[in-house]
Amino acid sequence: MAELPIYHDSYRPSSNWAKRLEAARQAHPAAAVLAAQPRWLPKWIAGLEAYAVPPFDTASDATTPAALERAARWLLARATAKPGDQRDALTMDDLETACRELVGEQGDTVQVWRTAAGRPQVETHQPAAPAALPVLLEMTLDWFTTDAFAELHPVEQAGLFHLRLLDLQPFAARTNTLVRLLSSFYLLRAGFPPIIPVAEEQSAYRDVVGYAFQMITQPSVELFARWLLAAYSLIETEQEERR
């Protein structure tokens, strides 16, 4: 399969974030990350909630902490079901389940996929027509199983997933919240903590999304890396309190 057009070397790191994250992962392996869940899970939910409002989502897309926790716990269980398996990948069924968990509908009544015009993320963004979404989304998820994608750092994988799903705008509602949630799959799968949005950095997040849609994706990757390092600080606090 040909590479998707947005994936270039522009996301390659210019700082030492990869080394710092690897040192943190060595010091706090996957078991320690999961043990510290009581510390970081509420922060993750609060961070997702803080960004689930304009300008990132519409007012009608606002969701409750209970719904966010339900969806976050589902993703955590899904991502850690096959520890260390870098070939484990999200599927269309997974995306549909995540949407239902967030919306709170277990039956068939919820509309999962977008059937109307998408919401542009930047001035020049034109989301795909609804009729094209099934094929484009299948192609995208397929690319996320390739050797080229597997060779990337999990933070880079999360960054590319985040950009491509924001580009496609696949869900009928709560797309941006779902994308920010699901992007953590690649970190959790690799034994890292999730990407916990920092409420005070909404302006920085808005800026990196704008850069990403100009094919300059390095800033978003480095922002995610910084948020991950902050999550590791929560884990260290948890460990110190248990000593």
Side-chain angles (χ1 to χ4, degrees):
M1 180 195 300
E3 244 182 54
L4 296 177
I6 61 172
Y7 301 139
H8 300 296
D9 287 339
S10 61
Y11 56 77
R12 284 301 175 188
S14 62
S15 68
N16 65 348
W17 63 260
K19 291 182 179 178
R20 293 176 65 197
L21 279 177
E22 186 55 34
R25 180 163 61 169
Q26 292 294 327
H28 309 290
V33 171
L34 292 177
Q37 178 182 326
R39 172 72 62 174
W40 55 254
L41 182 61
K43 296 285 188 180
W44 188 19
I45 294 164
L48 291 169
E49 184 183 19
Y51 281 61
V53 295
F56 308 115
D57 288 342
T58 64
S60 62
D61 284 338
T63 190
T64 66
L68 285 167
E69 180 173 354
R70 183 173 58 242
R73 286 186 180 279
W74 172 84
L75 183 66
L76 178 60
R78 171 66 183 85
T80 57
K82 301 178 181 179
D85 183 359
Q86 295 302 293
R87 293 296 181 176
D88 187 24
L90 289 173
T91 65
M92 293 284 283
D93 285 345
D94 287 328
L95 268 56
E96 181 171 342
T97 299
C99 181
R100 294 184 185 280
E101 291 289 341
L102 187 61
V103 173
E105 298 282 354
Q106 301 300 322
D108 297 328
T109 58
V110 63
Q111 181 180 332
V112 174
W113 307 114
R114 174 167 63 86
T115 58
R119 178 170 176 251
Q121 297 298 292
V122 296
E123 185 177 350
T124 58
H125 177 214
Q126 295 182 336
L133 279 176
V135 171
L136 291 175
L137 197 51
E138 288 280 11
M139 288 177 60
T140 296
L141 295 177
D142 189 41
W143 191 82
F144 293 154
T145 68
T146 62
D147 291 340
F149 188 76
E151 290 170 359
L152 300 176
H153 191 283
V155 179
E156 296 170 333
Q157 293 174 344
L160 293 179
F161 176 93
H162 175 265
L163 173 57
R164 183 56 174 165
L165 269 288
L166 282 185
D167 180 27
L168 290 178
Q169 291 284 294
F171 300 105
R174 298 175 176 83
T175 283
N176 290 17
T177 299
L178 282 163
V179 171
R180 286 187 288 271
L181 170 75
L182 291 167
S183 296
S184 287
F185 171 82
Y186 301 95
L187 284 308
L188 293 166
R189 181 182 69 174
F192 289 100
I195 300 168
I196 301 176
V198 176
E200 295 77 16
E201 294 199 88
Q202 293 186 28
S203 178
Y205 174 79
R206 186 163 54 247
D207 287 345
V208 301
V209 169
Y211 283 126
F213 275 90
Q214 299 176 57
M215 312 307 170
I216 305 170
T217 50
Q218 178 180 309
S220 61
V221 170
E222 295 190 344
L223 179 69
F224 285 175
R226 186 165 75 246
W227 287 356
L228 275 177
L229 289 168
Y232 273 117
S233 295
L234 293 174
I235 294 171
E236 290 174 359
T237 300
E238 173 75 10
Q239 292 176 329
E240 290 172 358
E241 290 180 352
R242 285 191 286 129
R243 288 180 185 141

